[in-house]
Amino acid sequence: MLPEEGSDLQIMSHAVVGYPSLEENQPAIDGLVRAGVKLIELQVPFSDPVADGATLVNACHQALQRGGSLATALDLAKQVCQRHPQVSFILMSYLNPLFRFGLEDLIGAAAEAGLKGMIIPDLPVENVEPLLPLCDDLGIAPILMVTPNTPEHRLERIGRAARGMLYVVARQGVTGKQSQWGEEFRCYLQRVRRYTDLPLAVGFGVRSEADLHALQGQAEVAAVCSKYIEWQTSLGSERAAAKLAELTAAI
Amino acid sequence: MIRSEDGFFGQFGGRYVPEILLPALIELEELFADLRDDDGFWREYLLLAQQFSGRPTPLTPCPGLTRQLGGARIWLKREDLNHSGAHKVNNVLGQGLLVQRMGKRRVIAETGAGQHGLATAIMAARLGLDCTIYMGADDIERQYSNVFWMRQLGAEVVPVSTGARTLKEAMDEALRDWAASSDDTHYVLGTACGPAPFPELVTYFQSVIGLELKDQCQEEFGRYPDEIVACVGGGSNAMGVFAPFLDLPEVRLTGVEAGGTGPRPGAHSVRLSAYGDQQDAAETGIAQGFKTLFLQSRDGQLGATHSVAAGLDYVGVSPIVAHLTETLRLTPAYATDQEVLKAFQLLMRTEGIIPALESSHALAGGFKRAAELDKSQHLVINLSGRGDKDIFKIARAFPQPEWREFLDRELARQSNEKEGSTDVA
C-alpha cells in the first residue's frame, strides 16, 4: 500500500539492481525492511542517468558490469514483493530500457511482479497520459515529479495525471546533494498541494535526521536514496541498514 | 527549410527530459519560434558571422585532386576558415544572440573534439559570460590543444571520467549542470541532437553553410551540385550544408560516419548503415533527451563507440539525420580510421589544406564518390574544420623524428623555467 495523504512521515529508500551485486540485492532489501522501511525503489541501472549525481551514476555503472538490467530488476521485484508483502516496491528507471522492452508490456510485467508504481524521470507527463488507462487497470501508479521551477499550468497537468503519490523534487539539480527546508520550501509544498490530494514524497537532498524532522508534518514520504547508497558503498549493506534503522526510529 | 512537427521529424526527436529541464527548454523554444522567421534577426546573425568569423566561407575548387581521381569536379566548402577553425562557431554565435536576449550570465557546453567548446569559450569571452565546458577525460587527452586554448580564454574545462569518458558522458554531465543552473545558465548544445528545440535550432543557424553554397554554386558553375558530402557525428555540419538542398532531389546528399577500426561493438560509431556483419546495429532508442538511432545493447544500454576523430565519436545521431536516412533522402556511408588518415594526407599534399580528422571522413567518402561520377559532374565536400588541433594525433600517425626531438627540448625548457621561477620565489 502506498501511504495516504496526511499520514505520518515515512521513509522511502532505494536499491540499484546489481549493486553492489545481484546476489546482495535481496539481503540488502531484507535489511531495509527490518529497519522499518515500507517503501523501496528498485532502480534499473542505466548507462546515462542524467538526473542522478555521482553516487548513483557510479552505482549504475558498477551494477551494469555486474548484470543489472531491466530483466534482473523484474526478477528481483518478483522475489522481494513476495517476501515482503507489507512493503511497497516501486520500479525506478530511465526511459530507454523500458522503451526497448515496450512500455505497455512493461506495465503488465510490473503489475505481475507485484510492483506498486513506476518512476521514470525522463518521461514527461505528456507521454504518461496515454498510458494512464492501462496503469489504472493494472494498479500501477505512475509517480510523477514536480520541481521548484515547474510552472502552474504544468503543476495542474501533472497533478491530474499523477497516481499514488507525487514526487516533489526538493531543489534544482541532480540527486545526492543537500537541500534547504526554509520558508521558500514550505511555500513550494503549499503551492504543490493546491494541485493534488496525493501524498507528497520529497526527494533530492534528504540525508539526515535533521532533514527528516524538518519534513515531519509537511510531507508524507521522505526519499533517502543517494545517502543510503553512499552508506552501502562505504559501510556495506548491513551497516547501511542499521543507519536507516536509526532514521526510521528518529521519526 | 526543415521544420519539426511538435519537435519530431518523422518518428525521431521529441523532448524526453527530467521535469526540471522543461521550463528552460520551453523558454528557448518560444524565443526561437519568435525569431526564426524574423528577417531582421537573420540579418543580425549574418552580420555577426561576417564581422567576427569571416563569413561567407569560400567554395574552393580542387583541380589537382579532380585530375588525380579522374571523376567529378571536386569543390570544398571551407568551414575550416571560420574563426576558431570549424563550423561550430556558426551555431555558437547564433546561440550567443539568444543568450543576450534571455539575459543569462553563464553558458555551459559539451564538447568532443573541443571545437564546440573552443567556439563557446570564444563567445563567452566576447560577451562577458562565465563559461564551463564538459569534456570526456579521454577526449581531453586526444585534443589537448583545444583544452589549452579554452582555459586561456577563461573557460573552466571539467574532465568527465564516467563511462567511456567521451562525448556522450560530456553531454550527460552538461545536462546535470543545467538541471541545477538553468535559471541563469544557457546550455549551448553543440550539435543537432538533444531535446527539442535543439536539433532544429542548431540546424537553423548552421544552414548558413548550405545557403551560401547555393549561391556560390550558381556563381561558379551555374547550377546546383550533383552531390554534397559531409561527415556525420552528431550531424550539425551535415545538416547545415544539407538543409537548404532537401527540396532538390537532384542533389544527392551523402553523410559519412566514423567506421573506426572495424565493425566490432565499441570499435566504430556507425549508426546509419549496416556495418560489416555487426550484430549490434543502431536501433531506435530514447536517451539524452531525444529519440533517435542509438548504438545500444538489446536491453537498452547505450553502447561504446570509437573513432580516430573525437568529434565523431558519439553514440546517437541527429533525429533529423535519422529521419532523412529512413526516408532515403540522405545516403549514409562510412570511412575507417585508416581511410581517413589517407584522405587527410592526400588533401594536404595535393591541395595544401590541412583538414580536421572529423572532416577527413567527408573527404574519404567524397573522394570515393567523386571517382565514381562523371567528369561533367560537380561534387562538394563540406570541409567542416581545420586540422591544427590534431597535430599530436597526426604526429603519431605520420611520425617525424624531428618532432619528437623538439618535444623533448620543449619539455626540458619548461622544466628549466619552472626550476628557475622557484629559485626566484
Side-chain angles (χ1 to χ4, degrees), chain B residues 223-298:
Chain B
R223 62 183 181 85
Y224 295 131
D226 298 277
E227 183 159 347
I228 305 173
V229 182
C231 65
V232 180
S236 71
N237 92 84
M239 281 320 305
V241 72
F242 292 164
F245 292 90
L246 291 176
D247 298 331
L248 299 166
E250 69 272 24
V251 182
R252 183 179 157 118
L253 307 174
T254 300
V256 186
E257 298 184 276
T261 56
R264 298 173 311 285
H268 64 90
S269 50
V270 174
R271 299 133 309 178
L272 302 170
S273 299
Y275 187 26
D277 56 354
Q278 65 170 347
Q279 298 296 301
D280 67 332
E283 303 263 6
T284 303
I286 304 173
Q288 300 198 309
F290 68 118
K291 187 180 199 180
T292 193
L293 295 169
F294 284 105
L295 289 164
Q296 57 182 312
S297 67
R298 286 186 61 182

Side-chain angles (χ1 to χ4, degrees), chain A residues 44-53 57-58 61 64 68-70 95-97 99-100 121-127 145-151 154 158 169 171-174, chain B residues 8 15-24 26 162-163 168-169 171-172 175-183 283-288 291 294 296-303:
Chain A
V44 178
F46 184 51
S47 53
D48 297 81
V50 292
D52 282 308
V57 170
N58 291 330
H61 284 138
L64 285 172
S69 66
L70 178 56
L95 181 54
N96 199 45
F99 171 75
R100 298 280 292 168
D122 53 348
L123 189 66
V125 61
E126 292 81 353
N127 304 83
M145 290 181 165
V146 296
T147 70
N149 64 359
T150 306
R154 286 193 70 81
I158 292 167
V169 177
R171 53 160 169 75
Q172 298 194 0
V174 294
Chain B
F8 279 88
R15 181 160 57 211
Y16 301 89
V17 294
E19 189 63 32
I20 193 98
L21 289 175
L22 273 162
I26 290 169
T162 50
K168 167 171 85 75
E169 288 74 21
M171 193 167 160
D172 289 339
L175 286 167
R176 288 183 189 113
D177 181 313
W178 209 30
S181 65
S182 62
D183 282 351
E283 303 263 6
T284 303
I286 304 173
Q288 300 198 309
K291 187 180 199 180
F294 284 105
Q296 57 182 312
S297 67
R298 286 186 61 182
D299 61 348
Q301 305 296 336
L302 301 193

Side-chain angles (χ1 to χ4, degrees), chain B residues 52-87:
Chain B
F52 191 64
S53 192
R55 300 204 73 90
T57 58
L59 180 65
T60 304
C62 297
L65 268 176
T66 302
R67 255 196 317 279
Q68 203 166 324
L69 296 171
R73 283 193 62 181
I74 298 173
W75 302 81
L76 299 178
K77 178 63 176 158
R78 299 293 303 282
E79 290 304 298
D80 60 314
L81 293 179
N82 271 296
H83 177 43
S84 83
H87 73 290

